[in-house]
Amino acid sequence: MFKPYCILFTLLLTSTLLAQNFSDDAIPKDLIKTNFYKDGKAARIKWYGDDQLIDSLKTYHKSGNLNEILYYKEGRFDGHFKQYNDKGNLTTEWIFSQGKLVERTDHILAFSTKTEERNKKALASLKSINKRITNGEKNFGLIFTRTSLRNKLGNNSLALHELKILERIVAKYSPEKNKKYHKVVAAIYDRLGGIYGLYDMENHAIQYKHKAIKASPKQSRLFHNLGSYLAMNGSYDLGIAYLNKAVEMVPNHSFAHWVLGITYSDLGKYEEAMEHTQIAFKNEKSLYRLGIGQPERDLRTTRGLLYHKLGETEKGIQDLQDALSINKENSFAMRNLGVVFYETEKYAQACELLNKSKSLYYESKHRKEDLQEYLDLACSEESKVVFNLNSTLPLVYPNPAVDFIEILNYDVQNFEYEIYAFDAKLVQKGTAQGVQLNISELGTGLYILKIPGKEKTISLRIIKN
């Protein structure tokens, strides 16, 4: 794939690999550098020796659990490296000596039923390339391919290390001498941005993804990658703009439509979300074949909730169950199915699924704060009571409702209240007129009504038609 320029980069690459001492940031005065996730948990910790060279590195999953351990000697890889999954299971070990890979041992290879073939093939290719490099074969294309495979398999620190090497190489090379230069540079920048994004290093991630577009502005995937990062991190308008640019360049861009479906779903624009999701489904195989990692917000997880929100609950449940058959530990599919069961008053199933989702670190992995509200409601004693007008518990009536609701079995009148959307965002607050609330300004959907009390806050579910 990269033969036209492999020979041109071989000598420069070989000399660069000997140094193997690159850093993405300045060495701190206290010889310890920590990068943090947005919630304050450590993402990466680097330790430096008195010689100012890196001594060791640890990375962490978003849950806070250990991910990778790497060691260095005189600034080069040296020692026994280990990588763990989010459950604490050892997945991969490496032995390095003076910067050279001696041995790689894989204990667990992560895959779903849709990505098994892809990941096994990637691992086989990686082992073959490692053997070739160990035997002395070094060129730019080989290292670039190995970096891509490591990235695909989640060996992110090793991938980042070599990407920084390749970045320095292309910075010294003249683009006029090779037609593929701009695409290669863009690919390096894009992968760097992707890995930095995994660690919530937002400035690095956006900078590199934008540099990738600047280097090769005719590649739709680069607009998709930046748009996806922005949208998934809450910059919806800007993210949608970049994603729409990708669709403008390639109308059936399955990845861009997929993320647009997720984004509009988050915004509560369910019809638009469904439209994009269905387009993405037309080329579902490419998402699994070309994607990286095990994304939990896959098409079925997304469409399952959309079907429910648009009135086709049985189809939604089937999609979500299919998503869990593909990846039985998909915390987002569990959350969505839990929400569907809660909203259809199947509280026991909802409680079980929502608790399972929480145990799989849904909140930290997806930066979501909407799970606990559903847990509190689905698993409460009140949810175990079937709605009827003879109940002695506080109740919303009618429910579903269009314009006005009343709170039955509640002695206080003219009480203060707050109403939250499903994503825990405050959308309305005020004072009841007796026991009546006006909800006519709310959009269609599920809401949580909170009534603060002296002893406890009452939380009740509202379905707005």
Side-chain angles (χ1 to χ4, degrees):
M1 181 178 179
F2 298 99
K3 290 181 180 178
Y5 52 83
C6 285
I7 297 175
L8 295 172
F9 284 133
T10 298
L11 292 177
L12 182 55
L13 175 66
T14 304
S15 62
T16 307
L17 285 169
L18 291 176
Q20 288 198 337
N21 179 28
F22 297 103
S23 174
D24 53 84
D25 44 24
I27 299 171
K29 293 181 180 180
D30 59 2
L31 302 181
I32 299 176
K33 174 67 177 181
T34 305
N35 299 112
F36 296 94
Y37 288 119
K38 290 181 179 179
D39 62 2
K41 293 188 180 79
R44 301 194 309 163
I45 304 178
K46 288 183 176 182
W47 287 267
Y48 296 86
D50 292 334
D51 56 3
Q52 300 290 295
L53 296 176
I54 187 170
D55 179 71
S56 58
L57 166 68
K58 287 186 179 181
T59 67
Y60 297 85
H61 294 285
K62 289 186 176 180
S63 63
N65 296 333
L66 180 65
N67 183 12
E68 303 166 307
I69 307 175
L70 290 77
Y71 299 98
Y72 302 74
K73 185 176 180 180
E74 296 179 351
R76 295 189 289 184
F77 289 151
D78 196 282
H80 186 186
F81 297 8
K82 295 182 180 181
Q83 185 166 8
Y84 300 86
N85 63 20
D86 215 349
K87 289 185 172 182
N89 300 320
L90 180 63
T91 60
T92 309
E93 294 180 272
W94 298 264
I95 301 295
F96 278 87
S97 177
Q98 297 181 349
K100 295 181 179 180
L101 176 64
V102 176
E103 182 181 352
R104 175 188 174 116
T105 304
D106 289 275
H107 302 284
I108 300 173
L109 180 62
F111 53 78
S112 70
T113 58
K114 296 286 188 178
T115 59
E116 180 175 4
E117 182 181 354
R118 179 198 78 188
N119 287 12
K120 287 183 175 179
K121 187 180 293 186
L123 180 59
S125 297
L126 178 58
K127 288 183 175 180
S128 174
I129 289 175
N130 282 339
K131 186 175 181 180
R132 290 168 63 184
I133 293 174
T134 299
N135 291 336
E137 186 178 350
K138 288 187 178 73
N139 60 57
F140 186 93
L142 205 59
I143 297 300
F144 182 88
T145 302
R146 179 166 77 172
T147 299
S148 300
L149 291 168
R150 283 174 166 173
N151 186 200
K152 180 168 287 190
L153 292 169
N155 309 145
N156 294 313
S157 290
L158 295 181
L160 180 61
H161 176 85
E162 286 187 331
L163 282 168
K164 296 300 291 183
I165 292 173
L166 298 179
E167 180 189 18
R168 289 173 181 264
I169 290 173
V170 296
K172 298 177 182 178
Y173 190 72
S174 172
E176 289 75 18
K177 294 184 179 180
N178 195 285
K179 293 181 179 179
K180 293 187 177 181
Y181 172 86
H182 295 288
K183 287 188 176 181
V184 174
V185 171
I188 292 170
Y189 288 155
D190 184 51
R191 285 179 171 84
L192 281 167
I195 294 176
Y196 283 129
L198 293 174
Y199 299 118
D200 281 353
M201 298 173 68
E202 192 168 310
N203 289 339
H204 284 69
I206 293 175
Q207 176 190 19
Y208 275 109
K209 287 179 178 293
H210 188 267
K211 286 175 69 175
I213 291 175
K214 188 175 180 180
S216 188
K218 294 183 179 181
Q219 291 192 71
S220 63
R221 69 178 184 86
L222 302 178
F223 287 90
H224 157 263
N225 290 345
L226 178 54
S228 296
Y229 181 79
L230 291 166
M232 299 301 277
N233 282 275
S235 297
Y236 294 119
D237 290 342
L238 192 56
I240 289 171
Y242 277 101
L243 290 166
N244 281 334
K245 178 64 176 178
V247 170
E248 179 185 324
M249 298 168 75
V250 180
N252 291 319
H253 197 300
S254 53
F255 281 90
H257 284 293
W258 173 28
V259 181
L260 281 167
I262 291 173
T263 303
Y264 283 121
S265 179
D266 283 351
L267 293 171
K269 299 180 178 180
Y270 302 126
E271 291 183 355
E272 291 175 78
M274 180 63 86
E275 180 182 348
H276 288 288
T277 302
Q278 296 289 43
I279 294 173
F281 254 107
K282 294 178 182 178
N283 199 15
E284 180 190 10
K285 289 184 179 179
S286 69
L287 298 179
Y288 291 107
R289 181 171 56 87
L290 301 174
I292 293 175
Q294 310 294 329
E296 293 195 334
R297 300 196 73 174
D298 64 326
L299 288 175
R300 285 171 178 78
T301 297
T302 303
R303 190 176 68 176
L305 184 66
L306 294 175
Y307 268 137
H308 167 67
K309 294 294 186 182
L310 294 172
E312 297 186 88
T313 296
E314 291 304 316
K315 286 184 178 180
I317 291 174
Q318 185 61 59
D319 258 353
L320 291 164
Q321 289 174 338
D322 288 345
L324 288 170
S325 70
I326 294 169
N327 178 5
K328 64 182 180 180
E329 295 186 344
N330 184 334
S331 69
F332 216 109
M334 289 176 187
R335 178 267 181 198
N336 281 0
L337 188 54
V339 168
V340 173
F341 283 147
Y342 174 76
E343 292 184 0
T344 53
E345 299 185 352
K346 298 175 182 177
Y347 300 121
Q349 295 109 308
C351 181
E352 180 181 358
L353 281 164
L354 294 169
N355 271 310
K356 180 65 173 175
S357 176
K358 187 178 182 71
S359 73
L360 291 171
Y361 310 109
Y362 162 84
E363 293 156 308
S364 56
K365 283 192 291 189
H366 299 288
R367 298 289 182 263
K368 296 289 186 180
E369 298 178 352
D370 55 12
L371 190 63
Q372 194 59 49
E373 291 286 350
Y374 283 112
L375 267 170
D376 291 343
L377 289 166
C379 303
S380 68
E381 289 299 318
E382 289 86 345
S383 292
K384 298 176 183 178
V385 179
V386 177
F387 177 82
N388 65 82
L389 296 181
N390 296 319
S391 172
T392 59
L393 296 170
L395 296 171
V396 173
Y397 181 82
N399 202 13
V402 177
D403 294 318
F404 295 92
I405 57 173
E406 293 184 2
I407 310 304
L408 306 183
N409 305 326
Y410 191 58
D411 295 334
V412 182
Q413 294 196 5
N414 303 320
F415 49 83
E416 302 293 322
Y417 70 88
E418 296 177 341
I419 298 177
Y420 293 84
F422 74 97
D423 59 358
K425 184 180 296 183
L426 178 66
V427 294
Q428 181 175 316
K429 67 177 182 178
T431 303
Q433 299 299 311
V435 294
Q436 190 179 73
L437 281 67
N438 185 340
I439 61 168
S440 60
E441 296 299 317
L442 296 178
T444 301
L446 172 76
Y447 298 89
I448 305 301
L449 168 66
K450 288 190 173 185
I451 305 173
K454 292 182 179 179
E455 296 182 0
K456 68 175 184 178
T457 296
I458 296 173
S459 294
L460 298 171
R461 174 174 55 93
I462 303 172
I463 299 176
K464 170 66 187 297
N465 280 344

